[in-house]
Amino acid sequence: MSADVHPTAVVHEGTILGDGVKVLEHAVVGKQPSLSPRSTAKREPLPPTVIGAGSIVSTGAIVFAGSVIGERCIIGDQSCVRERVRIGDDVVVGRGSLVENDTTIGALTKIQADAYITAYSTLEENVFIA
């Protein structure tokens, strides 16, 4: 079984998609961040995005480079997962949510629609945010 990528989706070179992954309409996976000239962030290219088996990157969602998404996750419509985020298995990131850079989200966590998770956060397993 291979990944299913909608023709309007953008999957950047090097991205690793597990078996049964779905990347839906207008989603973007593996995007390198664009930095302000004043940004203090490192400017080297980030490693490829990894999306685990059976996960779904929904319509209009963006997953940045350097992030690893576990198996059977749902990245909801119009949500955004920034760079260097680690998401465990069976996690839901609800519609329109933003997970900022360098965040870790444990398995079985549910983040409901329009939630904002700040940079450098750690959410353990089975967390519910609404």
Side-chain angles (χ1 to χ4, degrees):
M1 178 187 266
S2 62
D4 180 12
V5 178
H6 191 275
T8 62
V10 175
V11 176
H12 287 268
E13 186 176 342
T15 297
I16 299 167
L17 302 177
D19 283 344
V21 166
K22 292 181 181 179
V23 182
L24 303 182
E25 301 89 348
H26 305 287
V28 178
V29 179
K31 176 181 172 55
Q32 293 286 330
S34 298
L35 300 174
S36 154
R38 295 184 47 170
S39 174
T40 58
K42 294 178 183 174
R43 296 191 179 275
E44 295 82 35
L46 294 167
T49 301
V50 177
I51 309 288
S55 290
I56 299 170
V57 180
S58 299
T59 301
I62 303 169
V63 181
F64 278 74
S67 289
V68 177
I69 310 299
E71 296 184 356
R72 299 171 305 279
C73 293
I74 296 176
I75 308 301
D77 295 343
Q78 299 177 332
S79 61
C80 181
V81 175
R82 291 299 309 220
E83 59 274 16
R84 296 179 303 274
V85 170
R86 299 282 183 260
I87 295 180
D89 295 340
D90 303 296
V91 170
V92 174
V93 176
R95 183 207 178 283
S97 294
L98 171 56
V99 179
E100 289 279 17
N101 59 287
D102 302 286
T103 292
T104 300
I105 298 172
L108 300 165
T109 291
K110 290 182 174 63
I111 299 169
Q112 296 300 299
D114 293 321
Y116 176 69
I117 310 300
T118 60
Y120 304 100
S121 294
T122 299
L123 304 179
E124 296 184 8
E125 293 185 357
N126 285 301
V127 173
F128 180 82
I129 295 182

